[in-house]
Structure formats: structure tokens, C-alpha cells
Amino acid sequence: MIGITGGIGAGKSVVSRLLRAKGLSVYDCDSQAKRILNESPELREAIARRFGSHCIAPDGTIATKEVAKIVFHDSVARTWLNHLVHSAVREDVARFADRHPDPVFVESAIMKTSRLYLQLDAMWVVSAPEDLRILRSCRRDGVDIEQVKARIDAQSSEYADFGDIPVAMIFNDDSHSLLTQVDSLLDPLLL
């Protein structure tokens, strides 16, 4: 499995879309974590026991705003929730990889925090200048510069030191061809 990571606004989702357009299998951790939380009765029950039944919406899904209110102010609660979700995602990634032909790609902004990088054979880190990342994120998410800078700071330790895992850099700075870089990384994998 190959990880695709990078900070907010770097373009990891663009790289993932390119790979999907080529017919390759990409696991998006963000969307799949939400699916897992809402489909797993065990996870919903654990959240309700820990945080209260108000954290489950009337339709049975996770009331994310209620959970966010709790974990935003309580680091112990946030650590507990992250452990619960990251464990479930790691297991789901392994099942996904078993069901799909190689190469399989895993997209996540938090490979180190989630410990997903330990399941990978290689890592592609998508990089872009901070000012461009801020501009992209503000436009895409409708947030202000300070919110984006806070996320950049919070994620800064996620993209270095993956141990012995080979790392390839992809520069998404509008002066390098993203497609050319992805194709050159794919060539040896598709032989």
C-alpha cells in the first residue's frame, strides 16, 4: 500500500482523483472514518456511553457537533475518540487492501497520528507553498486565514520521519506538472 499525505490545501485529494481516474484503488480516510462511525453500532454505543446519548442524532448517526464540543475542550476525550476511530480505520484499510489489486493507495492527512503509516510500503507526500495552501483552503472551505494557519501548525509534524518507509515528494505548486509527477511514480508500480 502507498500512502498519500500532505497538509491542508497541498493537493492530496487532487492526486487521489488522478489515481481514481486511472482506475486505481484509493481509500480516503476522512470519508471512510465518517462512514465507519455511522455504520458501526459498536462505535456509536461506545461514544454514547462515554459522551452521552445526546451525541447520537435521532437518525442514529453521530451528532458530530455535539461530539466536537466535548473533544475540543477535553484532550483526554479527544485522545480516546482518536484511538477508537483510528483503530477502526486501520482495520478497514486492511480489509480494503485485501479486496483490491495492487497498487492500493491510502489518503490521509494524519498518517503519523493515526499510525496508518506503519501499514504502508511507501509514502507520497504532496507539498505546496504555504501561501498557496492557505489560498486554496480559504476558497475551498470558506474559512479565514487564521483558521487555516492553525490547521497547518497543528499538522506540521505529520509529514516527516516515516522511519524506513520510502518517501516520494509531489510538488503541487502550479509550476510542476502534477500529472507528470504522478505518472513517473506510477510507472514502476504498473509494470
Side-chain angles (χ1 to χ4, degrees):
M1 283 190 295
I2 298 167
I4 301 168
T5 196
I8 183 173
K12 60 191 167 299
S13 295
V14 176
V15 170
S16 292
R17 282 194 298 274
L18 287 172
L19 295 169
R20 283 188 191 97
K22 292 176 175 291
L24 298 166
S25 300
V26 180
Y27 184 100
D28 173 12
C29 289
D30 281 349
S31 64
Q32 294 304 317
K34 291 172 187 160
R35 175 192 58 80
I36 292 166
L37 273 173
N38 287 315
E39 287 181 1
S40 170
E42 297 83 13
L43 293 180
R44 287 193 311 272
E45 288 170 19
I47 289 169
R49 276 195 310 275
R50 176 79 182 226
F51 299 145
S53 60
H54 69 285
C55 290
I56 306 301
D59 65 0
T61 61
I62 301 293
T64 54
K65 289 181 181 176
E66 294 300 320
V67 172
K69 286 179 195 174
I70 295 167
V71 300
F72 183 76
H73 298 288
D74 183 342
S75 63
V76 172
R78 185 171 48 255
T79 299
W80 176 86
L81 180 64
N82 284 341
H83 176 73
L84 182 75
V85 174
H86 297 326
S87 295
V89 169
R90 286 192 308 268
E91 291 172 11
D92 200 53
V93 165
R95 286 190 296 272
F96 180 87
D98 287 343
R99 293 189 315 265
H100 293 86
D102 285 338
V104 170
F105 297 88
V106 179
E107 178 192 339
S108 175
I110 55 170
M111 290 290 187
K112 288 179 82 174
T113 298
S114 67
R115 302 185 55 81
L116 267 166
Y117 76 100
L118 297 171
Q119 295 175 241
L120 303 174
D121 302 306
M123 185 75 67
W124 293 1
V125 178
V126 184
S127 178
E130 187 172 305
D131 59 337
L132 185 55
R133 293 171 55 199
I134 291 169
L135 178 66
R136 289 173 180 162
S137 300
C138 288
R139 284 183 183 162
R140 179 192 67 206
D141 301 335
V143 294
D144 64 45
I145 292 171
E146 294 309 312
Q147 288 174 300
V148 176
K149 284 184 177 182
R151 295 238 343 244
I152 287 172
D153 290 344
Q155 295 177 343
S156 64
S157 66
E158 288 288 337
Y159 315 110
D161 190 19
F162 293 108
D164 295 333
I165 298 170
V167 175
M169 295 299 295
I170 298 173
F171 301 100
N172 186 18
D173 58 5
D174 296 338
S175 65
H176 294 84
S177 167
L178 203 54
L179 185 56
T180 300
Q181 292 176 82
V182 169
D183 283 344
S184 69
L185 290 169
L186 277 177
D187 282 345
L189 299 174
L190 301 178
L191 293 177

